[in-house]
């Protein structure tokens, strides 16, 4: 871009000979329009031009294309330091003075274009790098989120058996913090011998199982925990060993359930054997005792019937438990009845069978209509009152109280018996749980409260326990009146 037509002609010829395509402008304003329309890769700009000189044109180009790398080569006969300074101040990329060496001009243009391309490529690489870094950071955040949300403990070691990762669950299980042991060797970071051997791969080398179970009690915890550790290799692209990942799972609850199941089997065997022995014994007497008096025969048959009823109740409880364990819903046959009458009908035979206890029933004068399964609610009452009798071996008062609100009936069974600790009360509804599981404990399978809870909840009701050792227990449940 030059106002001298002969200079433009010679310069265009030299640049075209060097392999470049050229477009021309004879003043600054035309130059701006040409750049806008043709989008050239480089501008050769004479300083002295009419209307808008080279400095003003260069400044205008930089303002319009500030974010783009458009090389601008200033050409002038003013070969002085002030002009050079002014050219670079308004944004020129380079400067060449007249008289121009056309060969040098070609090389200078080629160099500026190459530098511009490299700058653009560098910026593109920088932008791609920023995207990659952002994606890596987002992936790391996702992984961190996953690790934090994993319930099981996670410990990762590198090929030199140094701790490189540990999630919060593992920190809590092992009683250490990642910030204290990161980059530490397993020998220094892990104090549990069996787990240390697992992380170091020694158990695998000795031909042992890759799954490990160990017991752990940390300071400040009231009981031991059972921990299962399972390890696997972290491999690189070539299949080489890069480290080990170990999952730590708290299986304390599973071991407690296994223990409860074992105790339940023992208790069930005892509870079934006792009445069955009586049935067999009295049946044998009847078969062999031909001279028994009619009353004796009647008494023996009564004992057989009583023990058979007990066996039937045990079998019913086991069947109920089987349905609960398999996830089946308790089938309800709802009818409308007066819950006061049901309570009286349950209490009366128990009162006659157990006269040593003081029986107190507090029922409203008005009826307590309830839309529920009559037999199932009767089963709940029998379980609760039966427990009140069994766990009050010294006698005392057994109080059954019922009242109602606008939409609910509430029933409470209270005794003055042995009572329970807070831990026992919290677990009373668990399957297989008994506060005393020994064979010398109060008779029963320990299923009554589990079944009662499921029946109440099948009616969309609630049941809860309040107890204190030596002071007795109160079990309360509520049902919608329907």
């Amino acid at each position: 871009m030059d106002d001298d037509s002969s200079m433009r002609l010679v310069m265009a010829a030299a640049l075209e000979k060097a392999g470049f395509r050229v477009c021309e402008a004879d003043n600054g304003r035309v130059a701006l329009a040409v750049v806008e329309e043709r989008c050239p890769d480089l501008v050769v700009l004479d300083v002295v031009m009419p209307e808008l000189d080279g400095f003003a044109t260069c400044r205008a180009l930089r303002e319009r294309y500030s974010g783009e790398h458009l090389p601008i080569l200033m050409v002038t006969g003013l070969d002085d330091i002030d002009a050079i300074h002014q050219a670079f101040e308004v944004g020129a990329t380079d400067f060449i003075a007249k008289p121009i060496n056309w060969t040098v001009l070609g090389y200078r243009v080629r160099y500026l274009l190459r530098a511009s391309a490299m700058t653009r490529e560098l910026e593109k690489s920088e932008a791609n790098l920023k995207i990659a870094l952002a994606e890596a950071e987002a992936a790391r955040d996702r992984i961190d989120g996953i690790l934090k949300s994993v319930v099981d403990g996670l410990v990762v070691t590198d090929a030199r058996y140094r701790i490189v990762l540990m999630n919060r669950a593992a920190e809590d299980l092992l009683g250490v913090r990642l910030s204290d042991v990161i980059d530490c060797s397993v020998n220094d970071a892990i104090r549990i011998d069996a787990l240390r051997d697992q992380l170091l791969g020694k158990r695998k080398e000795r031909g042992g199982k890759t799954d490990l179970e160990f017991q752990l009690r940390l300071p400040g915890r009231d009981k031991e925990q059972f921990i299962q550790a399972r390890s696997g290799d972290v491999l690189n692209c070539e299949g080489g060993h890069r480290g080990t990942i170990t999952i730590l799972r708290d299986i304390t609850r599973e071991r407690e359930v296994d223990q409860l199941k074992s105790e339940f089997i023992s208790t069930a065997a005892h509870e079934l054997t006792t009445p069955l022995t009586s049935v067999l014994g009295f049946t044998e007497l009847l078969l062999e005792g031909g001279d028994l008096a009619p009353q004796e025969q009647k008494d023996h048959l009564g004992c057989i019937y009583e023990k058979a009823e007990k066996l039937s109740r045990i079998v019913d409880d086991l069947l109920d438990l089987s349905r609960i364990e398999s996830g089946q819903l308790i089938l309800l046959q709802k009818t409308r009845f007066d819950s006061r009458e049901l309570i009286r009908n349950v209490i009366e035979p128990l009162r006659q069978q157990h006269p040593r206890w003081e029986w107190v029933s507090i029922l409203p004068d008005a009826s307590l209509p309830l839309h529920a399964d009559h037999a199932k609610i009767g089963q709940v009452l029998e379980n609760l009152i039966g427990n009140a009798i069994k766990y009050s071996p010294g006698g005392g008062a057994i109080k059954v109280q019922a009242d109602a609100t606008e939409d609910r009936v509430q029933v409470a069974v209270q005794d003055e018996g042995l009572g329970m600790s807070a831990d026992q009360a919290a677990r009373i509804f668990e399957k297989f749980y008994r506060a005393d599981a020994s064979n010398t404990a109060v008779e029963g399978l320990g299923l009554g409260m589990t079944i009662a809870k499921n029946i109440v909840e099948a009616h969309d009701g609630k049941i809860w326990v309040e107890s204190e050792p030596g002071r007795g227990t109160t079990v309360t449940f509520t049902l919608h009146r329907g």
Side-chain angles (χ1 to χ4, degrees):
M1 299 175 185
D2 197 315
D3 60 329
D4 186 338
S5 59
S6 60
M7 177 61 73
R8 290 201 313 274
L9 181 64
V10 175
M11 186 179 295
L15 291 173
E16 286 173 350
K17 185 178 179 180
F20 303 106
R21 288 180 298 171
V22 179
C23 55
E24 303 176 26
D26 58 2
N27 63 63
R29 297 194 185 281
V30 174
L32 293 175
V34 170
V35 170
E36 183 75 25
E37 179 183 352
R38 304 293 296 274
C39 299
D41 295 319
L42 180 141
V43 174
V44 180
L45 188 61
D46 190 19
V47 169
V48 180
M49 289 191 298
E51 296 189 40
L52 201 64
D53 66 15
F55 297 125
T57 304
C58 182
R59 182 182 293 109
L61 288 172
R62 285 291 176 241
E63 289 175 353
R64 291 189 186 185
Y65 306 101
S66 58
E68 300 179 20
H69 293 284
L70 178 64
I72 299 176
L73 178 63
M74 299 290 284
V75 181
T76 183
L78 302 175
D79 191 9
D80 60 72
I81 297 301
D82 291 340
I84 293 173
H85 281 311
Q86 188 175 356
F88 284 114
E89 283 176 1
V90 296
T93 309
D94 203 353
F95 190 94
I96 190 168
K98 295 177 181 178
I100 299 173
N101 183 313
W102 304 114
T103 302
V104 172
L105 175 65
Y107 282 115
R108 186 73 60 85
V109 168
R110 185 169 284 108
Y111 167 77
L112 291 176
L113 288 173
R114 188 182 300 121
S116 175
M118 292 176 63
T119 301
R120 285 195 297 270
E121 195 63 33
L122 184 62
E123 280 196 346
K124 184 178 178 181
S125 299
E126 185 179 356
N128 290 335
L129 180 60
K130 287 181 179 178
I131 293 172
L133 288 173
E135 290 176 349
E137 187 172 347
R140 185 193 65 191
D141 291 342
R142 285 195 298 271
I143 292 172
D144 287 344
I146 292 170
L147 293 179
K148 288 177 181 177
S149 64
V150 171
V151 176
D152 294 335
L154 184 68
V155 179
V156 181
T157 57
D158 63 14
R160 291 190 288 174
Y161 301 106
R162 296 176 304 180
I163 304 292
V164 296
L165 184 65
M166 184 182 294
N167 69 351
R168 177 57 62 86
E171 291 179 335
D172 293 340
L173 283 174
L174 301 178
V176 298
R177 287 289 170 259
L178 177 61
S179 57
D180 297 330
V181 298
I182 191 167
D183 290 330
C184 293
S185 72
V186 169
N187 283 319
D188 296 331
I190 305 299
R191 302 174 184 175
I192 304 160
D193 293 341
L195 179 59
R196 185 166 55 242
D197 288 348
Q198 174 90 350
L199 295 177
L200 292 171
K202 291 182 179 179
R203 286 169 49 82
K204 191 175 180 180
E205 292 173 3
R206 293 195 295 261
K209 295 181 179 179
T210 55
D211 291 355
L212 165 71
E213 288 188 17
F214 60 93
Q215 291 174 256
L216 173 67
R217 176 179 284 182
L218 295 175
R221 298 183 184 176
D222 57 353
K223 65 178 181 179
E224 286 189 328
Q225 292 175 279
F226 291 83
I227 309 297
Q228 181 187 71
R230 178 174 295 178
S231 298
D233 292 333
V234 179
L235 305 178
N236 58 23
C237 297
E238 291 77 30
H241 179 74
R242 290 191 59 185
T244 303
I245 181 169
T246 301
I247 303 295
L248 302 176
R249 185 162 169 254
D250 188 347
I251 57 172
T252 305
R253 181 67 186 132
E254 294 176 18
R255 291 294 169 265
E256 289 177 348
V257 170
D258 290 342
Q259 178 66 24
L260 289 173
K261 287 181 178 179
S262 298
E263 293 171 354
F264 167 76
I265 292 171
S266 175
T267 302
H270 175 74
E271 291 295 321
L272 288 167
T273 300
T274 302
L276 191 58
T277 301
S278 298
V279 169
L280 292 172
F282 283 117
T283 303
E284 187 177 355
L285 283 174
L286 288 172
L287 290 172
E288 296 179 356
D291 58 348
L292 289 175
Q295 185 60 45
E296 286 183 290
Q297 294 182 19
K298 186 177 180 180
D299 290 343
H300 291 343
L301 288 171
C303 288
I304 291 173
Y305 182 79
E306 179 186 343
K307 299 303 180 182
E309 273 195 326
K310 183 174 182 180
L311 284 170
S312 178
R313 286 194 297 270
I314 291 173
V315 171
D316 286 343
D317 283 351
L318 291 172
L319 290 174
D320 285 339
L321 177 66
S322 175
R323 283 190 285 268
I324 292 168
E325 284 283 273
S326 64
Q328 296 180 31
L329 295 176
I330 295 178
L331 298 178
L332 303 177
Q333 297 179 351
K334 291 187 177 182
T335 58
R336 189 169 295 280
F337 58 90
D338 185 353
S339 55
R340 293 179 311 161
E341 292 302 317
L342 175 60
I343 294 169
R344 292 189 184 113
N345 292 338
V346 172
I347 290 175
E348 189 55 35
L350 293 172
R351 187 202 305 272
Q352 294 177 9
Q353 294 171 24
H354 305 280
R356 262 195 322 122
W357 282 261
E358 177 187 351
W359 293 86
V360 180
S361 57
I362 303 174
L363 305 175
D365 295 332
S367 65
L368 285 177
L370 188 64
H371 187 241
D373 188 313
H374 187 279
K376 295 294 186 186
I377 301 305
Q379 183 181 354
V380 171
L381 287 167
E382 288 173 358
N383 278 333
L384 301 188
I385 299 173
N387 281 345
I389 295 169
K390 287 188 292 187
Y391 290 96
S392 303
I398 294 178
K399 183 169 71 174
V400 181
Q401 182 173 355
D403 49 45
T405 62
E406 287 185 5
D407 62 341
R408 289 179 179 269
V409 171
Q410 178 169 301
V411 180
V413 178
Q414 181 179 359
D415 65 61
E416 297 176 347
L418 302 175
M420 293 179 287
S421 67
D423 289 341
Q424 290 172 328
R427 300 185 61 187
I428 196 63
F429 295 112
E430 292 181 10
K431 302 180 186 75
F432 311 116
Y433 180 75
R434 301 181 77 213
D436 182 355
S438 67
N439 285 343
T440 59
V442 175
E443 66 175 16
L445 295 178
L447 299 177
M449 295 301 287
T450 301
I451 295 169
K453 180 176 185 288
N454 278 271
I455 290 173
V456 170
E457 290 182 348
H459 284 82
D460 293 326
K462 295 181 180 179
I463 185 169
W464 64 93
V465 174
E466 298 167 283
S467 189
E468 187 176 342
R471 300 290 297 274
T473 300
T474 301
V475 184
T476 307
F477 67 91
T478 62
L479 300 170
H480 290 284
R481 298 181 70 170

